[in-house]
Amino acid sequence: MVDCPVYFAPLQGYTDAPYRNYFHTYFGGVDAYYTPFVRLENGNKFRNRDISDIDPLRNSVPILVPQVIASIPEELRSILCLFEKQGYTRADLNLGCPFPLLAKRHKGSGILPFPEEVEALLKVFLEFPAIDFSIKARLGWESADEIFRLLPLLEKYPVSRVVLHPRLGIQQYKGKTDLKTFSRFYELCPIPLIYNGDLVTLEDIECIIADYPHLAGVMLGRGLLTDPSLALTYKSGTKLPDSEFRERLYCFHNALLQYYSSHYQGGDHQVLAKMKTLWEYLCPDMDRKLRKCILKSRNLDAYRSYVQEILKK
């Protein structure tokens, strides 16, 4: 029996509420879903799309963990108050985002070289005893030593889990994951540890769990965007027949298409722009000529016909 939890990573621009809801309906295999980070901008205001995305009335997955990104305690406090008001009892602090525009403001992995600033954020956790906190981090911004400076803080403050992506922020998503450094952290980390990074096949998941048997879970991101059945395959131990996979994917895709068509006001162009993001990762081994036609579609009728052809073969 598989007993290693599987978490769906937060991916900006991809895993919004409708994506998560329909993914759970047609594929599943995921124990908890993390939202893309909520942040403050433009004079400490919430983005409407963030508030909408974490609205409990718009989310039907069994366990949803809202994620926050902040650089100072005041920001973090404001966002956690929103989470608490919405009834959330779990939250995740993003210490891993590698995007330079945020990192230079000491957000995401950009704050890792400054342990005193990280501690100022962790102190805020004490003000919200009803919330179970995790952090999602990288090894550091420029140096893998940065994550080790946080180890004393993990015991000092109420952090229940660490999700670690073993790359540096400056790497973005390039280069290999640093499993040697991850192994060191795995041995030293005093609290439950979840592995995240480059788990794109069933073999990848099984190898990581075999190498690190005391993991508290694995977090999948682009692996699930590429193969939505990956978590289900891992949990069930059986790969879906190709015909069933295509049918589920077709239903999943059409549910998303119907949702965005009914909620977006920008016509075919806006809906197509959103739907085409799915195909940046989805099923790269399917018919390449048809995939190219999908990405070049200029109206929804053409788009639908190409999708039906590629998924109904």
Side-chain angles (χ1 to χ4, degrees):
M1 177 68 69
V2 173
D3 59 2
C4 189
V6 174
Y7 303 106
F8 203 146
L11 292 144
Q12 290 283 336
Y14 298 93
T15 59
D16 57 10
Y19 185 101
R20 298 187 299 263
N21 293 340
Y22 292 127
F23 179 95
H24 185 74
T25 297
Y26 293 106
F27 289 102
V30 171
D31 292 278
Y33 296 77
Y34 285 56
T35 76
F37 56 70
V38 176
R39 72 184 190 196
L40 295 176
E41 60 179 23
N42 298 329
N44 292 327
K45 295 179 180 179
F46 288 104
R47 300 182 295 180
N48 289 334
R49 67 184 183 190
D50 288 349
I51 295 176
S52 175
D53 191 57
I54 67 167
D55 183 347
L57 296 177
R58 297 186 68 246
N59 286 277
S60 58
V61 299
I63 299 178
L64 186 65
V65 183
Q67 188 182 73
V68 51
I69 194 167
S71 59
I72 58 175
E74 291 76 13
E75 282 183 300
L76 179 58
R77 188 174 294 112
S78 294
I79 299 170
L80 292 180
C81 283
L82 172 66
F83 291 174
E84 193 172 56
K85 183 179 179 181
Q86 296 277 35
Y88 286 102
T89 58
R90 291 177 62 173
D92 183 71
L93 175 62
N94 184 312
L95 301 180
C97 177
F99 299 126
L101 285 176
L102 291 174
K104 73 178 183 180
R105 299 172 187 162
H106 292 196
K107 293 183 178 181
S109 59
I111 200 173
L112 292 173
F114 309 98
E116 68 285 355
E117 295 182 19
V118 175
E119 182 169 17
L121 295 180
L122 297 182
K123 283 181 180 178
V124 177
F125 289 179
L126 298 172
E127 302 172 24
F128 297 86
I131 296 180
D132 179 74
F133 290 100
S134 59
I135 65 170
K136 187 175 186 300
R138 290 201 172 208
L139 297 175
W141 175 248
E142 292 185 306
S143 167
D145 292 334
E146 293 165 17
I147 191 65
F148 292 95
R149 298 176 199 156
L150 301 187
L151 279 169
L153 303 179
L154 300 180
E155 288 186 287
K156 185 176 180 181
Y157 296 99
V159 178
S160 63
R161 288 170 301 281
V162 174
V163 182
L164 187 60
H165 181 127
R167 279 189 174 89
L168 298 173
I170 57 172
Q171 284 183 265
Q172 301 284 302
Y173 296 96
K174 300 175 183 178
K176 294 183 178 179
T177 51
D178 183 353
L179 292 180
K180 182 177 180 180
T181 303
F182 180 86
S183 297
R184 286 175 53 210
F185 192 83
Y186 172 81
E187 295 297 333
L188 295 172
C189 185
I191 62 176
L193 182 63
I194 297 167
Y195 180 90
N196 170 233
D198 290 4
L199 300 180
V200 296
T201 67
L202 179 60
E203 183 181 12
D204 292 335
I205 298 172
E206 292 174 340
C207 286
I208 282 292
I209 292 173
D211 289 343
Y212 305 102
H214 301 299
L215 284 175
V218 290
M219 179 173 279
L220 311 181
R222 284 160 182 79
L224 288 175
L225 297 184
T226 301
D227 177 5
S229 68
L230 180 58
L232 178 62
T233 299
Y234 169 67
K235 283 295 186 73
S236 68
T238 304
K239 187 175 178 62
L240 291 175
D242 186 62
S243 59
E244 183 179 350
F245 171 76
R246 286 174 180 267
E247 182 61 30
R248 290 194 189 205
L249 184 56
Y250 187 68
C251 293
F252 169 61
H253 171 276
N254 283 358
L256 280 175
L257 179 58
Q258 182 175 355
Y259 178 90
Y260 293 129
S261 296
S262 63
H263 285 76
Y264 283 13
Q265 305 301 315
D268 283 16
H269 176 76
Q270 188 180 17
V271 176
L272 281 172
K274 181 63 177 176
M275 294 303 300
K276 287 178 182 179
T277 61
L278 296 177
W279 297 95
E280 292 175 13
Y281 292 98
L282 187 60
C283 303
D285 295 331
M286 286 189 177
D287 192 302
R288 294 185 179 182
K289 184 178 292 186
L290 284 173
R291 285 175 60 84
K292 189 174 181 179
C293 289
I294 287 172
L295 294 173
K296 289 191 172 184
S297 299
R298 295 189 177 183
N299 61 73
L300 284 175
D301 287 340
Y303 173 84
R304 287 191 187 95
S305 67
Y306 292 131
V307 169
Q308 179 159 351
E309 189 173 354
I310 199 172
L311 294 182
K312 287 294 188 177
K313 278 194 168 185

